[in-house]
Amino acid sequence: MLTKYLSVFFISMVPIIELRGAIPIGVGLGLPLWQVYIIAIIGNMIPVPFIFFFARKVLEWGADKPVIGKFFTFCLEKGHKGGEKLKAKAGRGLPWALLLFVGIPLPGTGAWTGTLAASLLDMDFKSSVRACMGGVLLAGCIMGVLSVLGVSAFGAVVA
């Protein structure tokens, strides 16, 4: 039983998959939704401070390196360009825009990407964490409902 909970926890920490994959897996493993929800949120939020404080520094450090430089420079430029567009459109509502971006349960729109974007946009840490946490809670609710409906529908088809 512990291995099922640890699986949910560690899957929710993986970039791109995050809690969008962890919640359906946990529900599919037969774990109670409320427990899966809490564990997935904790696992998804643990990397956020590390991403916020170190990802930008790593990208800037690697931008002039021979093998990885082009990719890191591309990531920085893409982030700055997209961030400026988002800032122009969202204005003072940038934290809300970040919350909604993270809350959309699609690959690539989770806490990892949202936190990196917040770091590149020079948002303050407190606003970034609040927005990401709100987005993770929203995505968790959406994925929880979809997971329960999906397991129920699958059970009805198989029975």
Side-chain angles (χ1 to χ4, degrees):
M1 186 69 106
L2 179 62
T3 56
K4 291 180 180 181
Y5 288 109
L6 288 173
S7 296
V8 170
F9 180 74
F10 287 117
I11 290 169
S12 68
M13 294 176 115
V14 176
I16 301 174
I17 299 171
E18 303 183 32
L19 93 163
R20 290 140 178 78
I23 289 178
I25 288 171
V27 170
L29 290 172
L31 299 172
L33 176 60
W34 70 272
Q35 292 175 354
V36 169
Y37 180 74
I38 292 169
I39 291 168
I41 287 170
I42 293 169
N44 201 182
M45 289 301 295
I46 284 176
V48 166
F50 300 102
I51 297 164
F52 185 85
F53 289 116
F54 300 114
R56 181 179 183 171
K57 291 177 183 174
V58 169
L59 288 173
E60 289 171 349
W61 167 83
D64 63 347
K65 302 298 183 254
V67 177
I68 57 176
K70 287 183 182 179
F71 176 70
F72 281 31
T73 302
F74 168 78
C75 291
L76 283 169
E77 289 173 357
K78 185 82 169 166
H80 284 293
K81 190 182 292 184
E84 291 306 316
K85 285 182 184 177
L86 185 61
K87 262 187 184 178
K89 288 182 181 178
R92 292 183 48 180
L94 189 58
W96 286 104
L98 181 62
L99 183 146
L100 292 174
F101 175 78
V102 173
I104 298 168
L106 297 171
T109 64
W112 280 75
T113 309
T115 305
L116 180 58
S119 174
L120 291 174
L121 290 171
D122 293 321
M123 287 180 66
D124 67 288
F125 178 70
K126 197 173 181 180
S127 299
S128 302
V129 170
R130 284 182 180 166
C132 284
M133 183 64 164
V136 167
L137 292 170
L138 175 61
C141 288
I142 294 168
M143 290 309 300
V145 169
L146 293 175
S147 297
V148 169
L149 291 175
V151 168
S152 300
F154 181 73
V157 170
V158 174

